[in-house]
Amino acid sequence: MSSSSSVPDYLRDEKLTQETRDLISSLPSEKGWLVSQIYEFQGRWHTEALLQGILTCQKHFKAKDSDIILVTNPKSGTTWLKSLVFALINRHKFPVSSGDHPLLVTNPHLLVPFMEGVYYESPDFDFSLLPFPRLMNTHISHLSLPESVKSSSCQIVYCCRNPKDMFVSLWHFGKKLAPQETADYPLEKAVEAFCQGKFIAGPFWDHVLEYWYASLENPNKVLFVTYEELKKQTEVEVKRIAEFIGCGFTAEEEVSEIVKLCSFESLSRLEVNRQGKLPNGIETNAFFRKGEIGGWRDTLSESLADAIDRTTEEKFGGSGLKFSC
Ligand SMILES: Nc1ncnc2c1ncn2[C@@H]1O[C@H](COP(=O)(O)O)[C@@H](OP(=O)(O)O)[C@H]1O
Ligand SMILES: C[C@]12CC[C@@H]3c4ccc(OS(=O)(=O)O)cc4CC[C@H]3[C@@H]1CC[C@@H]2O
């Protein structure tokens, strides 16, 4: 974290360039939840810090054909996907059976860099120093991806989660991130902002649809996965991801060890994911809450759930995308 404050870096605005400050002054803005204002850039809503990270990423990131980029909306299974794909691509270098796997001693967010987060923290970060094949994650929309990500043969694994669970996960995460700022922000107002799309990284649905259509248009470039299928049939989905990124399993190989290592039960019990903070100031345990499908029922009233369902029907109608919970 950049200073002694307990507020995580992404809620601060100290590292903005003059260029970004000038741009921000011309962007539509809305009152934020954890920060005073959020801004609309290329159709999405961002905090100043994450917008700075996105702009630097657009300017400086040069994709390589061998790159693997994990894309999610926030709270849609990023931590899980990072763990699984890290374990998959490194399974010969770091066999799970050896007992000293990096995931046992390092939080997944430190093993797989968050592109716009890293660019906000360290604008000069040299991504070319990452080990081959480079594995990174982002929440950047398809429209706003750096040009080289689209023009190169790098691959994207997109993981989406049903909007009610995603929203509820974000709601609880936000309360942990900045408890004071969330104190007088009612859940009803958050649902309304979420449905209007004027919420961090929103509109949620547009993000999903962009990658959904990209995966249909170019199935070798974008693989579309859902948190729910990953949860219901983890081995099948992990094998599908492995095939897609070109490290498929042989008939003799076991996928179950990786699945077990990366399970919610296993990762959330590790000391490294229970104690301490990431360098950006976020507590490592904030990324592990319930890890379930349908947990929204504990937080959302019927009318709030209906409001999200109506938006989903409107937005996803005709796309072929459906969520059953
Ligand atoms: N290994 C794992 N398996 C399943 N879910 C996991 C997981 N690790 C984290 N999660 C869940 O994924 C959500 C966090 O998403 P992200 O990693 O994108 O920030 C949280 O959901 P809940 O808040 O519903 O429990 C968290 O509990
Ligand atoms: C992207 C992120 C999860 C969401 C975090 C977040 C949530 C809500 C916010 O409210 S508002 O002030 O924008 O209205 C702000 C944030 C900023 C940090 C976000 C986290 C960074 C990495 C996580 O995946």
Side-chain angles (χ1 to χ4, degrees), residues 72-80 109 139 161 165 168-169 173 227 231 262-264 267 287-292:
T72 51
N73 258 310
K75 316 323 288 173
S76 297
T78 321
T79 315
W80 192 13
H109 294 282
H139 297 314
R161 188 178 192 188
D165 279 339
V168 165
S169 183
F173 185 80
Y227 181 95
K231 194 83 193 168
C262 299
S263 69
F264 180 85
L267 291 182
F287 293 95
F288 301 91
R289 194 180 62 96
K290 286 190 164 180
E292 289 169 1

Side-chain angles (χ1 to χ4, degrees), residues 57-71:
C57 191
Q58 289 184 333
K59 228 178 186 176
H60 297 301
F61 183 74
K62 294 280 166 285
K64 295 183 184 177
D65 289 342
S66 53
D67 287 345
I68 303 164
I69 305 186
L70 311 177
V71 187

Side-chain angles (χ1 to χ4, degrees), residues 11-281:
L11 301 180
R12 302 156 74 97
D13 63 358
E14 282 132 21
K15 297 181 189 169
L16 304 187
T17 62
Q18 191 53 48
E19 200 181 349
T20 301
R21 288 184 196 279
D22 293 344
L23 172 71
I24 280 174
S25 67
S26 71
L27 295 177
S29 68
E30 285 283 333
K31 198 176 166 330
W33 169 31
L34 310 183
V35 295
S36 58
Q37 295 289 312
I38 52 172
Y39 297 88
E40 188 187 29
F41 174 70
Q42 298 182 336
R44 296 296 131 81
W45 291 86
H46 307 285
T47 64
E48 291 172 319
L50 289 173
L51 176 58
Q52 173 69 67
I54 292 169
L55 293 169
T56 309
C57 191
Q58 289 184 333
K59 228 178 186 176
H60 297 301
F61 183 74
K62 294 280 166 285
K64 295 183 184 177
D65 289 342
S66 53
D67 287 345
I68 303 164
I69 305 186
L70 311 177
V71 187
T72 51
N73 258 310
K75 316 323 288 173
S76 297
T78 321
T79 315
W80 192 13
L81 190 64
K82 281 185 174 194
S83 312
L84 285 168
V85 179
F86 177 87
L88 270 180
I89 62 174
N90 290 302
R91 67 187 188 269
H92 302 300
K93 190 166 158 197
F94 305 126
V96 177
S97 55
S98 69
D100 63 352
H101 196 278
L103 278 165
L104 296 173
V105 288
T106 314
N107 178 276
H109 294 282
L110 294 174
L111 293 172
V112 181
F114 171 42
M115 295 167 75
E116 56 271 39
V118 168
Y119 273 127
Y120 175 66
E121 305 282 332
S122 319
D124 298 324
F125 185 83
D126 187 357
F127 277 85
S128 71
L129 299 176
L130 292 181
F132 171 91
R134 300 191 303 181
L135 176 63
M136 294 144 289
N137 91 288
T138 182
H139 297 314
I140 298 179
S141 69
H142 192 265
L143 181 87
S144 298
L145 284 172
E147 232 7 84
S148 64
V149 171
K150 296 186 200 174
S151 59
S152 71
S153 303
C154 76
Q155 289 184 295
I156 293 173
V157 180
Y158 184 80
C159 183
C160 146
R161 188 178 192 188
N162 83 77
K164 295 196 292 289
D165 279 339
M166 176 273 177
F167 171 83
V168 165
S169 183
L170 182 55
W171 174 249
H172 292 288
F173 185 80
K175 289 209 274 187
K176 278 198 135 188
L177 215 56
Q180 306 253 298
E181 284 78 349
T182 56
D184 60 353
Y185 197 93
L187 179 61
E188 291 70 22
K189 196 171 155 192
V191 170
E192 194 187 340
F194 180 65
C195 289
Q196 288 174 348
K198 294 174 178 173
F199 214 57
I200 180 92
F204 164 89
W205 297 269
D206 298 13
H207 196 276
V208 176
L209 283 173
E210 279 179 17
Y211 284 98
W212 169 247
Y213 288 123
S215 76
L216 297 180
E217 267 163 37
N218 203 344
N220 297 324
K221 171 93 179 167
V222 183
L223 181 73
F224 195 91
V225 177
T226 70
Y227 181 95
E228 289 72 27
E229 285 308 303
L230 206 49
K231 194 83 193 168
K232 286 183 200 153
Q233 43 168 7
T234 316
E235 292 198 7
V236 173
E237 291 301 289
V238 170
K239 282 185 178 165
R240 197 162 74 91
I241 296 172
E243 279 296 328
F244 173 75
I245 56 182
C247 65
F249 281 75
T250 61
E252 299 75 42
E253 259 189 303
E254 278 292 335
V255 67
S256 60
E257 285 187 328
I258 287 182
V259 168
K260 196 170 162 212
L261 170 71
C262 299
S263 69
F264 180 85
E265 292 67 31
S266 144
L267 291 182
S268 62
R269 281 191 197 127
L270 295 171
E271 197 58 16
V272 71
N273 298 325
R274 285 162 59 103
Q275 304 285 339
K277 289 181 176 184
L278 296 177
N280 60 35

